[in-house]
Amino acid sequence: MIDLNDFTAQVQAAHWGWTIALFLWFVGLSGMGMFLNNWVREKALVYVCTVAGIVGTLLVLSHLTRILNLPFAGINALLEMSFNFGSWMFIGICLLVVQCCITLFYSMAFAGVLFKGEGCKKLIQSDCFNRFCAAIGVAATIYSGFLLTQAVGVALWNTALIPLLWIMSGMACSIGVIELLMVFGLLSHEKVYWSRRTALWVEVAELFTIFAFVHVAMTSTSAAARAGAEALMSGPQSMMFWLGVIVFGSIIPLSINLVTRNHKALVVSAILGITGALLLRASVLFAGYYEPILL
């Protein structure tokens, strides 16, 4: 096991807190929810995705302390036609804003607020529009993972496996929401008959991706990456990782889906899967250490 005391005093955790963990969770839920909505196309799921997308975007903006400044910065950029397309943060914020706008339009068209015409109703039921929404949702989810990979000095996060892991866990979280909506009668069973089979494959894929992520970190030449993996496996984040993510967030929902489709069991499975997706993001976030300078 790595002893962090052997490192220089420069070793420290990245300290990205629950605000960012919740942002990553909400964006993953909204993005992959809209991806699955390409097959569901029901207002209950769209409403959930809309709220999740808006809340996630507000959380990241609050972390950047830019909620009040953003409208003025946007107006100035439009007036001066000066956009920093070289900034991944700028590109990401634009992507999140597009996600919020299309989901809000979708919800308002479903609810008959402002967008009441037959043209709007036909648009939200069209294949082109729903595929566009699905593509934006996947892109937003990938971006939320890519954002971590660009953190300078935190070797645990500098891997292409994180966007893939975010997609897998976002899918599991969204399927959990779909199953909850089905149990409570907000979605018809006929529209989501595929949820059980899909959930099984997604949970298995998520477990394999988690294994690959931890294995890559454990065998890395970077001391900070190995320290982060140790934090997940047997260190400060191990309880959250093993119990919250692996056991309760993946293995138990997978086992329930294999054994029964009882509604009470489905509610438990869905809640555990949704919570597991949040705890996965939190544990990976909190386990990030800056690369030390070894003397």
Side-chain angles (χ1 to χ4, degrees), residues 17-34:
W18 280 101
T19 299
I20 295 299
L22 288 167
F23 150 68
L24 297 171
W25 180 58
F26 277 120
V27 169
L29 170 58
S30 177
M32 298 316 296
M34 289 306 293

Side-chain angles (χ1 to χ4, degrees), residues 181-202:
L181 294 174
M182 181 191 70
V183 168
F184 291 111
L186 298 173
L187 286 180
S188 65
H189 175 74
E190 291 74 20
K191 282 209 169 185
V192 293
Y193 65 91
W194 44 264
S195 65
R196 178 180 186 178
R197 182 174 64 254
T198 305
L200 291 174
W201 285 110
V202 168

Side-chain angles (χ1 to χ4, degrees), residues 198-221:
T198 305
L200 291 174
W201 285 110
V202 168
E203 291 291 356
V204 170
E206 182 182 5
L207 284 170
F208 272 110
T209 310
I210 291 172
F211 169 79
F213 170 72
V214 174
H215 175 72
V216 167
M218 289 287 288
T219 57
S220 173
T221 57

Side-chain angles (χ1 to χ4, degrees), residues 58-292:
L58 290 176
L59 282 170
V60 72
L61 291 177
S62 69
H63 179 79
L64 297 171
T65 64
R66 292 291 187 274
I67 288 183
L68 296 179
N69 293 341
L70 186 63
F72 297 103
I75 292 170
N76 288 332
L78 285 171
L79 292 175
E80 299 175 6
M81 295 303 292
S82 59
F83 302 99
N84 185 10
F85 291 106
S87 167
W88 285 110
M89 183 58 69
F90 171 77
I91 295 172
I93 293 299
C94 290
L95 188 59
L96 293 176
V97 169
V98 171
Q99 170 79 357
C100 290
C101 289
I102 61 173
T103 55
L104 184 60
F105 166 77
Y106 207 145
S107 293
M108 294 175 74
F110 256 134
V113 178
L114 293 182
F115 306 103
K116 302 178 181 180
E118 286 298 319
C120 291
K121 292 180 181 179
K122 289 181 180 178
L123 176 63
I124 64 174
Q125 291 297 335
S126 67
D127 289 341
C128 289
F129 179 75
N130 280 280
R131 287 168 185 166
F132 174 73
C133 292
I136 293 295
V138 172
T141 305
I142 291 174
Y143 170 75
S144 69
F146 180 77
L147 185 63
L148 280 189
T149 69
Q150 300 305 296
V152 177
V154 186
L156 178 67
W157 301 342
N158 300 154
T159 169
L161 285 169
I162 285 185
L164 178 60
L165 185 55
W166 269 207
I167 286 178
M168 292 296 105
S169 63
M171 282 274 286
C173 183
S174 300
I175 291 173
V177 169
I178 286 172
E179 293 190 328
L180 282 179
L181 294 174
M182 181 191 70
V183 168
F184 291 111
L186 298 173
L187 286 180
S188 65
H189 175 74
E190 291 74 20
K191 282 209 169 185
V192 293
Y193 65 91
W194 44 264
S195 65
R196 178 180 186 178
R197 182 174 64 254
T198 305
L200 291 174
W201 285 110
V202 168
E203 291 291 356
V204 170
E206 182 182 5
L207 284 170
F208 272 110
T209 310
I210 291 172
F211 169 79
F213 170 72
V214 174
H215 175 72
V216 167
M218 289 287 288
T219 57
S220 173
T221 57
S222 164
R226 298 196 305 274
E230 291 282 1
L232 288 174
M233 298 295 288
S234 56
Q237 313 308 326
S238 59
M239 184 74 72
M240 184 187 300
F241 179 73
W242 283 111
L243 290 181
V245 178
I246 303 299
V247 176
F248 290 104
S250 295
I251 293 177
I252 291 180
L254 178 61
S255 302
I256 289 174
N257 272 305
L258 282 171
V259 172
T260 180
R261 293 296 286 174
N262 176 273
H263 279 189
K264 290 182 180 179
L266 272 183
V267 169
V268 173
S269 171
I271 291 173
L272 289 177
I274 292 168
T275 306
L278 171 60
L279 296 181
L280 172 64
R281 285 156 173 74
S283 59
V284 170
L285 203 63
F286 301 160
Y289 286 91
Y290 287 111
E291 187 71 52

